[in-house]
Amino acid sequence: MEKYQNLLVVIDPTQERQKALERAIELAHKNNAKITAFLSIFDFSYEMTTMLSSDERETMRGSVIESRTQWIKDLIATLETDKLVIDIKVVWHNRPFEAILEQVENENFDLVIKGTHEHDKLKAVIFTPTDWHILRKCPCPVLLVKEHSWPENGNILAAINVGSDEAEHIALNDKITEEAKNLARIINANANLVNSFPGTPVNIAIEIPEFNANEYNDNVKSHHVHAMQEHAKKFGIDEAHTYVKEGLPEDVIESMAKELDAELVILGTIGRTGISAALIGNTAEHVIDRLNCDVLALKPDGFN
């Protein structure tokens, strides 16, 4: 996690409490990182004020930016920053996710931290178009912050796919596991690995009477368990912290996160081949909003 020295925190203009900023400060205290509090704002009414000259509109935009900058300064003043370097950047942009991606590309940020919204009545997390655009397109890791705290000796759950022998999957598994170990050391948590495997296809069992579903299931599970053991051994993770479960990835990840009361789940998003090619439209989208803890989304190496 020492590589996360340059943190971009997305400020939410609709909230007084900035949980993403609080998490960034918590992380920076442990990692001595630099934080940039970033806000993208836009008011279409200003752009449509045809009675004003371009200079006058520019002055109005500058005034709004200055006001929001001061608001962020006041927010930071209420938090325990303790000598941390926190820069503030407010820009005028009508597409927040593009503004965020531009910052990542231009300023070489190591991690984007963004808070999530919870529907007051449904008590479910609501992901905005900005959230999904960032998850899909941001080249650096994205940390989505929820309400779950990061207690000492808590649990980090890394979701991997050890059943595949594709080079891209193996590389992403390694990256996710390394991230889990690094974070576990930094925030004094336990690194856990989870892998799901599919059950017997129903149509095969029906169409081929002589097909032994139990034997098939046992063989598939054995393959995944052995692969998990080999992977965990490579990274020095005790077998007691590994889990291989039958079921859909989103169901298995959610149930294990609840069982372990995980403070953080680490997922890989967007690959080029196989299952990972549809991950952001399948596992990630289905599981992230069902988790009550933070989610760290990682891209494969070479993503751009």
Side-chain angles (χ1 to χ4, degrees):
M1 199 64 181
E2 281 86 347
K3 65 183 179 182
Y4 291 156
Q5 292 292 301
N6 196 12
L7 313 179
L8 181 69
V9 180
V10 180
I11 298 297
D12 186 343
T14 69
Q15 303 289 319
E16 281 301 315
R17 183 190 167 205
Q18 300 292 324
K19 55 189 176 184
L21 182 57
E22 292 173 10
R23 185 72 83 228
I25 291 171
E26 182 179 0
L27 188 55
H29 277 314
K30 299 175 183 294
N31 202 36
N32 195 30
K34 174 187 171 185
I35 298 171
T36 297
F38 178 76
L39 175 62
S40 169
I41 57 172
F42 186 81
D43 190 328
F44 193 67
S45 63
Y46 290 163
E47 301 303 308
M48 295 298 290
T49 311
T50 55
M51 293 180 66
L52 298 178
S53 68
S54 60
D55 286 344
E56 288 171 322
R57 285 199 296 274
E58 186 64 36
T59 299
M60 290 177 68
R61 287 194 291 265
S63 176
V64 174
I65 289 172
E66 185 177 337
S67 172
R68 300 309 276 176
T69 301
Q70 185 59 51
W71 173 68
I72 296 173
K73 285 181 181 177
D74 294 341
L75 279 173
I76 292 172
T78 67
L79 302 172
E80 296 286 339
T81 56
D82 188 29
K83 299 181 181 179
L84 291 176
V85 177
I86 302 181
D87 293 334
I88 299 172
K89 187 160 189 179
V90 182
V91 301
W92 189 269
H93 202 297
N94 66 342
R95 292 167 72 86
F97 79 89
E98 287 185 358
I100 294 165
L101 294 178
E102 286 172 8
Q103 291 300 310
V104 171
E105 292 167 5
N106 295 336
E107 304 297 332
N108 294 316
F109 286 101
D110 304 315
L111 179 68
V112 171
I113 305 177
K114 188 180 185 302
T116 56
H117 283 256
E118 186 178 83
H119 192 289
D120 291 334
K121 293 181 180 178
L122 299 177
K123 292 299 178 186
V125 173
I126 298 171
F127 284 90
T128 65
T130 297
D131 295 333
W132 292 123
H133 277 300
I134 295 171
L135 280 172
R136 290 183 176 105
K137 300 173 183 177
C138 185
C140 75
V142 177
L143 179 64
L144 294 175
V145 178
K146 303 193 181 183
E147 295 296 338
H148 199 294
S149 62
W150 282 10
E152 292 282 310
N153 296 310
N155 285 305
I156 293 172
L157 183 63
I160 57 176
N161 176 19
V162 295
S164 172
D165 57 2
E166 292 181 8
E168 185 180 41
H169 279 179
I170 294 170
L172 189 54
N173 288 338
D174 289 351
K175 186 173 186 176
I176 291 168
T177 307
E178 286 171 358
E179 213 64 55
K181 286 198 67 176
N182 282 337
L183 261 172
R185 180 169 48 81
I186 295 298
I187 68 175
N188 192 21
N190 302 301
N192 301 272
L193 305 178
V194 64
N195 178 87
S196 66
F197 66 92
T200 306
V202 176
N203 61 319
I204 294 180
I206 293 173
E207 294 172 10
I208 309 175
E210 64 272 18
F211 180 78
N212 189 324
N214 289 333
E215 183 180 345
Y216 173 86
N217 235 38
D218 289 344
N219 288 338
V220 172
K221 182 176 182 179
S222 177
H223 167 70
H224 282 263
V225 168
H226 177 72
M228 174 66 90
Q229 290 171 343
E230 292 295 309
H231 180 80
K233 183 179 179 181
K234 183 167 70 171
F235 289 92
I237 293 177
D238 192 278
E239 193 174 329
H241 291 288
T242 65
Y243 303 90
V244 176
K245 304 282 186 180
E246 179 183 342
L248 295 172
E250 55 266 32
D251 294 333
V252 171
I253 294 167
E254 179 189 16
S255 65
M256 283 310 308
K258 287 180 178 177
E259 183 177 325
L260 295 172
D261 190 24
E263 56 200 288
L264 175 68
V265 169
I266 304 177
L267 292 168
T269 60
I270 305 186
R272 297 183 183 85
T273 60
I275 296 172
S276 60
L279 195 57
I280 196 66
N282 184 6
T283 302
E285 286 195 7
H286 288 162
V287 75
I288 290 175
D289 59 352
R290 289 157 58 172
L291 298 171
N292 68 349
C293 61
D294 291 5
V295 177
L296 179 65
L298 305 179
K299 300 290 192 308
D301 289 334
F303 175 87
N304 53 46

